[in-house]
Amino acid sequence: MFEKVLTQHIQVPQSRDIDYYMKHGGYQAFRKVLKEMEPDQVIEVVRESNLRGRGGAGFPTGVKWGFVPKNDEKPHYLLVNADESEPGTFKDRLLMDGNPHLVIEGAMIASFAIRANLSYIYIRGEFVKEARILEAAIQQAYNKGLLGNDILGSGYRLDMYVHRGAGAYICGEETGLIESLEGKRGWPRIKPPFPAIEGFLQSPTIVNNVETLACVPFIIERGARWFKSIGPESSPGPKLYCLSGHVNTPGVYELPMGTNLKELIYEYGGGVLDGKALKAVIPGGSSVPVLRPEEIDVAMDFDSLAKIGTMLGSAGTIVMHQDTCMVDALLNLIHFYRHESCGQCTPCREGTNWAERILRKIEQGRATERDVDLLEEVANHINFRTICPLGDAAAMPIQSFLKKFRDEFNAHVGRHRCPLNSRL
Amino acid sequence: MKVEFSESAKKEFDAIVQRYPQKRAALLTVLHLAQREFGWLSREVMEYVGRLLDIPAGEVYDTASFYTMFYQKPVGKYHIQVCHTLSCALRGARNIYEHLEQKLGIKAGEVTPDGKFSLVKVECLGSCGTAPVVQINDDYFEGLTIEQLDDILNRLDQNSE
């Protein structure tokens, strides 16, 4: 029987309060780490658990922490990536709103593991309420002696602050986030050097997603074996799935990693809205390749989705029913990427702009077959030619929509209008 | 008009700078503070922030102009931000937006003549499970119907009398 751990207390009004959190075992893992463990032991346990980053890339968290130099002179930093902006994704907001101390405790343990004495929670600027909740929770932690100098007599010092972004999707990319935290445009950096070696202010820096860090206290307390027993061993653990679009009961569902996508939509999501037929599903946030209805009998984990040519990403599942025009849906997404392209790399800056113009032409029935080919060409010229993955994130939807719904694009061309009269 | 923080904002500024190993890193936080104080980031405000943080005004502008939440012209007392990205679009964001356009008599990027309301379309607000979503100033309004929207507008209209 699967036990919800991340969202167990989220419905309780007092769940934001430190006393409630501590009464239910909160900060025990951090205590344990301070009293009984060395930083490298913490990294080892997390590596052993196979925890993989929940922000989208799925990189093993313990391995990432292990890249931080051990005996250097520079300060180290732990940055919490709370810049949740991938369309279709709204899980970190729920955690910060309903279980802020879990996120903070995870950040404390990660900071200890990488020998950081300063940590920032970089939260997207629009989440004003959540930023205030986190600030209040951090203050409570200071008051209990869980932050500051000589925490619980261990000699370990840690300060933590909330830092608000100001409206830019690209700051969710870790090097864009670091640039932004330094008070600049969120322009991603060329890697290497990786942030673990040269990040915030040229010092070793780890950037972890909110949900990733929320898993850490449980791994410390219950052990790597417990974590690995949930879902597939290669990418295990509890997972927050975000369900939106044309389903009857959208929302965030905490389920074992590897939950079947069909089950997610029909059992947890209550099926397709208004009893209509399913047309398309984007399983992992707007950047990942779209699936057709016959492809959704698949386990929602990193490896299973990769096998069928898409990605788990941030687990933002967007469902579309029969009345959705695929050209219009893609136009909506490409408008997003055009707007959010930081402008640094020509293929992405110009390519997203051209793609949007061509798509608008197709949607309005003014395009020829040549335009559909051109759209594909533009996407192929963005992919893998940019500093950061935003370019790929824009190209993948174009390529997959064209591959799987080409007939609909052609129908727009042939009939000189949208066959569905769609207006998203 | 001379641009200067209020006494309480000056105190807040001093506390903010303490949180960062370098002054420049405080820029976004100080710009948020400046916008709260002055309503929007005029050239004079950006120059003032630059002087406070020892950053050339041009670099303050370079950073501020990158972010959609930093306003370079005045917005309404109630700044209405309608999410129109896919999940909201699938659940009726267009109806919400068009209703606002018609009711307020303005288009995206405009302010009502009395300065009460401004309207913009914004990209994904990260609240897709409760679409359609509108943010007004700092607050989210989720799972909105046209009726609820009218109620909210009426309430805000009365508040600003």
Side-chain angles (χ1 to χ4, degrees):
Chain A
M1 181 61 192
F2 175 69
E3 178 200 359
K4 286 185 192 177
V5 290
L6 303 174
T7 58
Q8 192 185 358
H9 298 286
I10 247 154
Q11 300 300 337
V12 184
Q14 312 91 300
S15 67
R16 291 173 190 159
D17 190 69
I18 197 164
D19 290 323
Y20 178 89
Y21 183 67
M22 290 173 84
K23 208 173 111 193
H24 292 86
Y27 291 114
Q28 287 303 324
F30 185 47
R31 257 171 226 277
K32 180 176 169 182
V33 159
L34 288 179
K35 298 226 162 25
E36 299 169 19
M37 296 173 85
E38 292 296 320
D40 290 346
Q41 287 175 301
V42 178
I43 295 178
E44 195 43 47
V45 173
V46 173
R47 198 196 317 250
E48 175 65 27
S49 76
N50 283 348
L51 169 63
R52 291 169 68 173
R54 292 344 192 194
F59 193 80
T61 306
V63 176
K64 195 177 193 181
W65 293 0
F67 292 151
V68 174
K70 306 280 180 218
N71 298 308
D72 61 335
E73 300 289 303
K74 289 180 171 179
H76 297 178
Y77 300 104
L78 187 276
L79 309 182
V80 182
N81 188 344
D83 193 58
E84 182 167 63
S85 315
E86 172 80 3
T89 315
F90 46 100
K91 61 190 178 62
D92 297 339
R93 176 171 177 240
L94 182 80
L95 281 178
M96 295 187 283
D97 181 35
N99 209 347
H101 285 287
L102 179 64
V103 178
I104 292 167
E105 186 177 7
M108 289 170 170
I109 296 167
S111 298
F112 176 83
I114 64 158
R115 298 169 171 89
N117 299 114
L118 186 52
S119 172
Y120 295 96
I121 302 177
Y122 185 108
I123 185 168
R124 64 176 294 178
E126 292 86 348
F127 287 173
V128 181
K129 182 181 126 196
E130 292 74 14
R132 286 186 189 132
I133 291 168
L134 286 168
E135 271 171 355
I138 287 173
Q139 193 51 53
Q140 286 187 320
Y142 270 106
N143 295 346
K144 295 269 185 198
L146 292 162
L147 282 169
N149 289 319
D150 191 21
I151 299 168
L152 305 174
S154 64
Y156 178 61
R157 172 176 61 84
L158 178 64
D159 285 303
M160 192 179 288
Y161 303 104
V162 174
H163 178 94
R164 288 178 60 213
Y169 168 71
I170 195 60
C171 295
E173 195 279 336
E174 61 178 7
T175 60
L177 185 150
I178 290 169
E179 284 282 311
S180 176
L181 183 62
E182 289 182 0
K184 301 179 225 159
R185 302 178 150 238
W187 276 8
R189 298 175 181 171
I190 292 172
K191 298 192 257 191
F194 286 92
I197 310 297
E198 249 181 61
F200 181 54
L201 304 175
Q202 281 75 54
S203 285
T205 303
I206 289 295
V207 185
N208 283 141
N209 167 263
V210 165
E211 185 191 354
T212 310
L213 290 168
C215 292
V216 171
F218 296 105
I219 293 170
I220 296 299
E221 251 191 292
R222 302 178 179 204
R225 190 180 298 180
W226 165 81
F227 195 77
K228 271 199 288 197
S229 73
I230 303 165
E233 204 176 307
S234 62
S235 62
K239 181 76 196 89
L240 299 181
Y241 293 103
C242 316
L243 199 51
S244 68
H246 292 146
V247 285
N248 283 310
T249 49
V252 176
Y253 295 93
E254 182 178 353
L255 297 164
M257 184 69 92
T259 295
N260 185 283
L261 175 55
K262 199 169 180 178
E263 194 183 315
L264 181 67
I265 295 168
Y266 287 94
E267 283 187 30
Y268 297 95
V272 179
L273 200 63
D274 302 328
K276 292 198 171 162
L278 181 67
K279 184 170 199 176
V281 182
I282 301 174
S286 62
S287 310
V288 314
V290 66
L291 297 174
R292 290 183 62 96
E294 59 270 23
E295 295 177 293
I296 64 162
D297 193 1
V298 61
M300 289 277 281
D301 61 72
F302 292 107
D303 301 328
S304 305
L305 285 165
K307 243 178 245 162
I308 63 162
T310 185
M311 293 156 77
L312 178 65
S314 57
T317 302
I318 306 172
V319 176
M320 289 169 268
H321 68 36
Q322 64 190 57
D323 298 345
T324 318
C325 165
M326 290 293 105
V327 176
D328 213 3
L330 182 61
L331 172 60
N332 182 289
L333 293 180
I334 298 311
H335 170 84
F336 172 85
Y337 290 108
R338 197 268 297 152
H339 185 270
E340 298 302 328
S341 172
C342 79
Q344 204 180 181
C345 310
T346 310
C348 173
R349 182 187 64 240
E350 301 302 319
T352 50
N353 190 35
W354 275 105
E356 185 181 356
R357 287 163 67 172
I358 299 166
L359 275 162
R360 205 170 292 285
K361 212 170 148 189
I362 299 173
E363 174 59 14
Q364 292 170 348
R366 297 182 288 116
T368 63
E369 270 172 49
R370 170 82 191 100
D371 289 311
V372 183
D373 294 335
L374 184 62
L375 178 64
E376 192 161 24
E377 236 172 81
V378 168
N380 294 343
H381 278 93
I382 302 173
N383 220 3
F384 302 124
R385 285 181 170 84
T386 54
I387 290 172
C388 89
L390 191 145
D392 310 344
M396 282 189 293
I398 300 176
Q399 291 164 329
S400 68
F401 272 68
L402 280 174
K403 187 172 158 203
K404 295 184 180 178
F405 297 97
R406 185 100 185 193
D407 48 345
E408 227 174 289
F409 287 78
N410 292 339
H412 280 73
V413 171
R415 297 195 208 174
H416 304 292
R417 63 175 181 87
C418 173
L420 289 163
N421 292 319
S422 160
R423 281 177 82 228
L424 273 184
Chain B
M1 194 184 79
K2 191 168 177 255
V3 171
E4 196 177 351
F5 277 159
S6 62
E7 284 310 311
S8 68
K10 278 183 188 165
K11 277 199 189 118
E12 221 175 304
F13 172 82
D14 291 337
I16 288 167
V17 174
Q18 295 300 315
R19 289 183 221 155
Y20 300 93
Q22 277 186 7
K23 260 185 167 181
R24 172 77 192 239
L27 180 54
L28 261 65
T29 311
V30 174
L31 286 172
H32 276 301
L33 175 67
Q35 187 158 280
R36 206 183 69 208
E37 282 280 294
F38 306 111
W40 62 289
L41 301 177
S42 64
R43 181 180 171 145
E44 290 73 23
V45 169
M46 286 192 259
E47 284 168 353
Y48 176 64
V49 168
R51 283 196 300 278
L52 289 176
L53 291 172
D54 302 319
I55 303 168
E59 286 185 34
V60 175
Y61 173 78
D62 177 77
T63 298
S65 60
F66 185 75
Y67 299 92
T68 54
M69 289 178 71
F70 292 138
Y71 312 134
Q72 290 171 62
K73 56 180 189 180
V75 296
K77 182 177 180 195
Y78 298 107
H79 186 49
I80 305 178
Q81 304 145 74
V82 185
C83 176
H84 73 140
T85 312
L86 190 55
S87 296
C88 277
L90 293 170
R91 302 299 291 250
R94 177 182 284 274
N95 294 341
I96 296 283
Y97 174 76
E98 286 179 351
H99 184 73
L100 282 164
E101 247 190 2
Q102 188 230 330
K103 183 133 183 167
L104 301 173
I106 52 174
K107 297 208 176 301
E110 295 176 352
V111 188
T112 54
D114 58 8
K116 272 186 197 168
F117 297 101
S118 50
L119 179 64
V120 282
K121 282 186 190 177
V122 292
E123 303 303 328
C124 188
L125 286 173
S127 186
C128 322
T130 47
V133 180
V134 168
Q135 183 170 18
I136 305 178
N137 296 349
D138 290 348
D139 300 318
Y140 275 50
F141 296 89
E142 304 173 42
L144 272 183
T145 61
I146 298 287
E147 293 71 37
Q148 287 167 333
L149 187 61
D150 281 340
D151 283 348
I152 294 162
L153 289 181
N154 288 338
R155 214 170 60 227
L156 294 178
D157 201 27
Q158 281 157 15
N159 278 353
S160 60
E161 289 301 326

